[in-house]
C-alpha cells in the first residue's frame, strides 16, 4: 500500500495533515499504537522540517505487512553540515517558525530515536532526502 | 487524575469533547514548545500550554495526547476546536497562568514526566 502527499513550504496551517492522514491509515490497518506513535512522531518532525526549512517537497509512505517505509524529499536548499544539524539544540529556525511552537533543534535527533533506521542524503545546494523504516514484526519494534 | 477533576481544580471551561471528561491522565507536562512535546514517550499525558494555535492541537493529536489545557485565558479558535473535536481531544481553557495551573495540579498529585 502506498500513499503520497505534497508538502508546501511555509504553510503551517496544513502542518501535520499528511502525518495525520498516515496515522489514520496505520490505525485502520491495525498497527500497534506504540509503533503508530513512533512512525507518526518521526514523520511529523520531517513534515514540519520540509515546511519550515525547505522549498517544499513530498512524503511517500509504503506499508507492507513487515514494515513501514517513509520517504520525505524536498527540493532544497539542503543541509550544509548534517552532523551539526543532528546535534540536539542546533537550529536555524526563524522567529516565525518559533512562534508556531517549533525550532528547538530537536527534530532530527527525535527522528533517529523513533525510527528503526534513518538515512539522510543532503548537501548544501542539493535537495534533502530522508528515508525511515519501522518494523511491524512482533518483537522487532524496539526503540533505539 | 480524572479530567473533570482537572477542570474543577483550575476552574476551567471545556471547549469540546465533554463526553471524555471521566477519562484519566497519568502525567502532566507544561510547555509552549511543541518540539519538546514531540519527544515525550509516555501515554496519557495532560498538555498544559500557552501556545494557542492549531499546531498545539495537531501536536497533541499526533503524539496521542488526549487532553490540552490552554492557560492564561487564551481563546481557542474555531479551527482549534474543530480539529480537537475531530481528534477526540478534550480542550480546556483556564484563566490561571501556566505556573499556577501546574502548581495546583502538581499539588493535587498529578505526576510530572521529568
Ligand atoms: N528539510 C530540510 N531542509 C533544509 N534544512 C533542514 C531540513 N531539515 C532540517 N534542516 C536544518 O537542520 C536544522 C535542525 O533540524 P531539526 O529538525 O533537528 O531542528 P529544528 O527543525 O530547527 O527544530 P525542531 O525540529 O526542534 O522544531 C534546522 O534548523 C535546519 O537548519
Ligand atoms: Mg525540525
Amino acid at each position: 500500500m502506498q500513499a503520497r502527499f505534497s508538502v508546501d513550504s511555509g504553510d503551517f496551517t496544513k502542518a501535520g495533515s499528511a502525518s495525520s492522514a498516515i496515522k489514520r491509515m496505520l490505525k485502520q490497518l491495525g498497527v500497534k499504537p506504540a509503533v503508530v506513535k513512533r512512525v507518526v512522531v518521526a514523520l511529523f518532525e520531517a513534515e514540519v522540517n520540509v515546511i519550515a526549512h525547505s522549498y517544499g517537497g513530498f512524503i511517500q509512505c509504503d506499508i507492507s505487512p513487515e514494515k513501514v517505509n517513509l520517504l520525505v524529499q524536498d527540493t532544497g536548499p539542503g543541509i550544509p553540515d548534517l552532523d551539526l544539524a543532528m546535534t540536539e539544540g542546533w537550529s536555524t529556525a526563524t522567529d516565525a517558525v518559533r512562534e508556531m511552537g517549533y525550532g528547538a533543534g530537536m527534530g532530527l535527533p527525535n527522528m533517529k530515536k523513533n525510527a528503526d533506521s534513518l538515512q539522510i542524503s543532503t548537501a548544501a545546494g542539493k535537495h534533502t532526502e530522508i528515508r525511515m523504516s519501522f518494523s511491524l514484526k512482533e518483537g522487532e519494534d524496539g526503540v533505539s | 487524575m480524572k479530567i473533570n477533576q482537572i477542570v474543577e481544580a483550575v476552574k476551567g471551561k471545556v471547549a469540546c469533547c465533554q463526553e471524555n471528561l471521566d477519562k484519566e491522565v497519568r502525567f502532566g507536562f507544561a510547555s509552549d514548545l511543541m518540539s519538546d512535546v514531540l519527544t515525550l514517550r509516555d501515554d496519557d499525558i495532560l498538555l498544559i500550554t500557552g501556545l494557542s494555535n492549531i499546531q498545539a492541537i495537531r501536536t497533541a493529536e499526533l503524539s496521542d495526547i488526549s487532553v490540552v489545557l490552554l492557560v492564561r485565558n487564551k481563546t481557542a479558535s474555531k479551527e482549534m476546536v474543530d480539529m480537537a473535536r475531530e481528534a477526540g481531544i478534550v480542550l480546556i481553557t483556564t484563566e490561571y497562568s501556566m505556573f499556577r495551573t501546574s502548581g495546583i495540579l502538581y499539588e493535587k498529585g498529578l505526576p510530572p514526566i521529568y
Side-chain angles (χ1 to χ4, degrees), chain A residues 1-143:
Chain A
M1 188 170 178
Q2 191 181 77
R4 203 182 147 114
F5 301 84
S6 71
V7 183
D8 296 338
S9 176
D11 188 0
F12 276 95
T13 58
K14 282 202 342 210
S17 56
S19 301
S20 179
I22 290 171
K23 180 176 186 181
R24 276 196 297 277
M25 284 168 53
L26 293 169
K27 274 167 79 177
Q28 261 161 29
L29 290 168
V31 176
K32 274 202 296 191
V35 180
V36 173
K37 183 166 166 177
R38 285 199 288 120
V39 174
V40 167
V41 165
L43 176 60
F44 185 42
E45 294 281 14
E47 184 180 357
V48 171
N49 278 359
V50 171
I51 297 166
H53 309 299
S54 90
Y55 305 143
F58 68 86
I59 291 170
Q60 187 178 301
C61 173
D62 290 271
I63 308 169
S64 73
E66 290 79 37
K67 58 166 103 176
V68 177
N69 283 328
L70 300 175
L71 166 65
V72 183
Q73 191 179 311
D74 61 47
T75 55
I79 304 174
D81 186 339
L82 185 58
D83 285 340
L84 192 58
M86 291 297 299
T87 314
E88 244 170 70
W90 193 84
S91 174
T92 62
T94 59
D95 286 349
V97 171
R98 288 177 207 274
E99 263 166 44
M100 302 306 300
Y102 306 107
M106 290 155 92
L108 288 167
N110 202 24
M111 285 179 222
K112 194 169 177 190
K113 280 186 202 132
N114 281 288
D116 290 326
S117 82
L118 167 72
Q119 284 173 296
I120 303 177
S121 141
T122 186
K126 296 267 165 55
H127 67 264
T128 296
E129 189 183 293
I130 294 183
R131 288 175 191 274
M132 291 185 276
S133 89
F134 304 80
S135 173
L136 297 179
K137 288 206 228 113
E138 267 327 297
E140 280 184 27
D141 55 347
V143 177

Side-chain angles (χ1 to χ4, degrees), chain B residues 52-88:
Chain B
S52 178
N53 65 27
I54 54 168
Q55 291 315 305
I57 308 299
R58 191 59 105 184
T59 301
E61 178 207 337
L62 295 176
S63 46
D64 292 335
I65 290 174
S66 52
V67 199
V68 176
L69 176 47
L70 212 54
V71 297
R72 200 76 181 89
N73 224 4
K74 301 266 167 49
T75 40
S77 67
K78 184 177 179 301
E79 287 76 17
M80 289 171 72
V81 175
D82 287 348
M83 191 183 280
R85 187 176 294 119
E86 181 147 343

